[in-house]
Amino acid sequence: MTDPLPLRSFWIGGFESACHINRAGKRLDLATATHHDRNAELDYRLMAAEGILTAREAVPWYRADRAGCLDFTCIDPLLSAAERHGIQILWTLCHWGWPDELDPLSPEFVGRMARYARASALHIASRSEGPWWFTPVNEISFAAWAAGHVAYMHPFLSDASDAVKRQLVRAAIASMDEIWTVLPDARMLHTDPIIQVVTPRGRPDLAREAHDYTSAQYAAWDMLAGGLAPELGGHPRYLDVLAPNFYASNQWELHGTALPWENGPRDDRWVPLHEQLARLHRRYGRPMIIGETSHVGSGRAAWLREVTGEVVRAIELGVPLHGVCLYPLVDRPDWENADHWHRSGLWDVVPDAYGELRRVACEPCLAELRRSVERVGRMTRVRGASPGAA
């Protein structure tokens, strides 16, 4: 195991913070929809009681930047609650919620984001202790696909995935440069889904297409590191810490459905998480955390057990894995249907008679989390490693 990263806990609580414009033209703000923005005190108290002292949050860019006028009071409740409960926050600056009037492909996008990123860093540093962590753009590859290929989010394009990806990489690089001018020791975390697209049975002619689809997951990280499209300004220093996101739906048959993981014999085309993490380590040689993982409904506890076993195996193989972010920690509504809650957190969200969203523990998940904390902690103690407060 490499030297531990400056994280307060191995287990990380992620709060859904997407604030993009969805296909219906509606601006989302999931931190508001879940009442996390006004219940941070409660949410942080709950997670701290379970020994989770690190959180993933986002600055809502569209709220902090009104036509170029910057005001970060919208995140002050999070900063205050985090200070009171000893929570370290890993901040995302663009969870796809760029300001209404800003076209992500416009010439001013990069400079506008870089200015906002610098101001965000200064505000956060003035209200919290370091070390400070930032994800400039959440899931660049996914955002490029959603905004530039399938018209799933603003600006609803279908033929511009590569252009969106390159622009978001430029913006991420410019933002890191600006942050480092004021916080030279800030750490940078880069999220994106890790996927496995497999060849349909009986269709060896599709093997190359499936391989190319799988390999495309690396493009944004390769651009940041300068190995792909060096004209964007990438360099290995920008690829600080990797944060691959892993869900059960991240492996599927080309032009088909997700591979099942929970029932009966596992599909022999399923690639275990520890192998995917080892593949990332061989490719990049960078420290990493799992940036997001969770499951829905009754499978939540089983998924956490599955992920914990894979985490243990990855660390035993020497993968420099320093944390796991349970995302979301508190349940979230669907992006397209605000009335549908996913039941994917450690705490469900239940409205009371007064319209408040109460936190109701998923007891099987919490019990599994406690076993996972002990299992990972015991393994890392035996091996002399200390990847956060496991």
Side-chain angles (χ1 to χ4, degrees):
M1 195 73 173
T2 57
D3 291 338
L5 293 173
L7 297 168
R8 291 186 189 171
S9 62
F10 183 88
W11 297 92
I12 300 165
F15 293 92
E16 173 64 272
S17 303
C19 48
H20 60 282
I21 299 174
N22 69 9
R23 284 184 290 191
K26 180 182 178 181
R27 166 72 71 182
L28 302 183
D29 191 328
L30 272 292
T32 297
T34 59
H35 291 189
H36 174 60
D37 57 348
R38 67 197 211 203
N39 280 331
E41 191 81 35
L42 169 61
D43 292 340
Y44 289 165
R45 184 168 71 247
L46 289 171
M47 62 185 277
E50 298 297 331
I52 303 175
L53 301 177
T54 303
R56 282 196 66 211
E57 299 276 15
V59 182
W61 183 8
Y62 86 98
R63 277 200 278 159
D65 181 349
R66 302 286 189 173
C69 296
L70 299 172
D71 180 355
F72 296 98
T73 54
C74 56
I75 62 170
D76 284 347
L78 300 180
L79 287 161
S80 297
E83 182 181 20
R84 283 190 289 272
H85 292 282
I87 301 298
Q88 173 191 30
I89 299 180
L90 316 180
W91 290 100
T92 297
L93 300 181
C94 176
H95 202 136
W96 319 319
W98 39 80
D100 291 351
E101 75 283 0
L102 191 57
D103 179 349
L105 291 180
S106 65
E108 62 266 27
F109 183 86
V110 172
R112 178 90 167 262
M113 183 176 170
R115 176 175 173 267
Y116 150 77
R118 177 190 175 102
S120 296
L122 285 170
H123 184 84
I124 289 166
S126 73
R127 296 288 307 271
S128 63
E129 295 182 356
W132 297 283
W133 287 76
F134 299 96
T135 297
V137 182
N138 187 62
E139 292 187 325
I140 290 175
S141 291
F142 175 82
W145 172 83
H149 183 64
V150 294
Y152 187 68
M153 65 173 66
H154 182 268
F156 310 112
L157 304 174
S158 58
D159 59 355
S161 179
D162 188 62
V164 173
K165 186 177 299 180
R166 287 168 176 260
Q167 184 78 325
L168 294 178
V169 167
R170 290 187 191 97
I173 289 171
S175 296
M176 287 186 278
D177 284 339
E178 285 297 316
I179 292 169
W180 279 329
T181 63
V182 294
L183 299 176
D185 297 327
R187 302 303 300 264
M188 301 297 171
L189 189 70
H190 298 288
T191 61
D192 244 329
I194 49 173
I195 64 172
Q196 185 70 32
V197 182
V198 303
T199 307
R201 298 192 189 281
R203 294 297 306 274
D205 57 303
L206 296 178
R208 171 52 60 182
E209 185 179 353
H211 175 271
D212 290 347
Y213 203 135
T214 299
S215 297
Q217 70 186 299
Y218 305 121
W221 286 331
D222 287 349
M223 288 176 179
L224 289 168
L228 179 65
E231 68 275 10
L232 301 178
H235 187 278
R237 67 177 175 273
Y238 294 117
L239 201 64
D240 184 9
V241 180
L242 294 182
N245 298 341
F246 183 69
Y247 295 93
S249 57
N250 283 31
Q251 303 196 44
W252 66 92
E253 195 172 80
L254 184 69
H255 309 311
T257 59
L259 301 183
W261 68 275
E262 69 277 27
N263 298 321
R266 186 70 54 84
D267 191 301
D268 60 6
R269 295 168 296 175
W270 177 275
V271 178
L273 175 59
H274 76 267
E275 291 186 17
Q276 295 196 61
L277 295 173
R279 185 165 62 192
L280 281 179
H281 179 45
R282 289 192 297 270
R283 186 180 184 96
Y284 297 110
R286 304 303 302 150
M288 66 183 83
I289 68 168
I290 295 174
E292 296 180 13
T293 194
S294 69
H295 201 53
V296 297
S298 61
R300 283 179 278 182
W303 180 253
L304 179 53
R305 185 163 56 251
E306 163 91 8
V307 168
T308 299
E310 292 297 306
V311 164
V312 168
R313 182 66 178 135
I315 296 174
E316 288 176 338
L317 291 175
V319 175
L321 182 65
H322 296 266
V324 176
C325 180
L326 304 176
Y327 194 101
L329 203 68
V330 172
D331 195 21
R332 46 155 283 188
D334 189 76
W335 290 348
E336 303 296 317
N337 179 4
D339 295 325
H340 173 64
W341 291 77
H342 284 202
R343 295 295 183 258
S344 59
L346 294 183
W347 285 274
D348 289 334
V349 171
V350 178
D352 64 18
Y354 305 98
E356 293 297 320
L357 299 180
R358 295 188 299 112
R359 277 45 174 154
V360 177
C362 174
E363 294 295 351
C365 292
L366 287 174
E368 195 61 52
L369 172 66
R370 291 160 191 157
R371 286 190 287 270
S372 295
V373 168
E374 175 56 29
R375 186 178 179 188
V376 174
R378 183 171 60 248
M379 185 272 295
T380 53
R381 286 193 297 271
V382 167
R383 300 180 71 83
S386 180

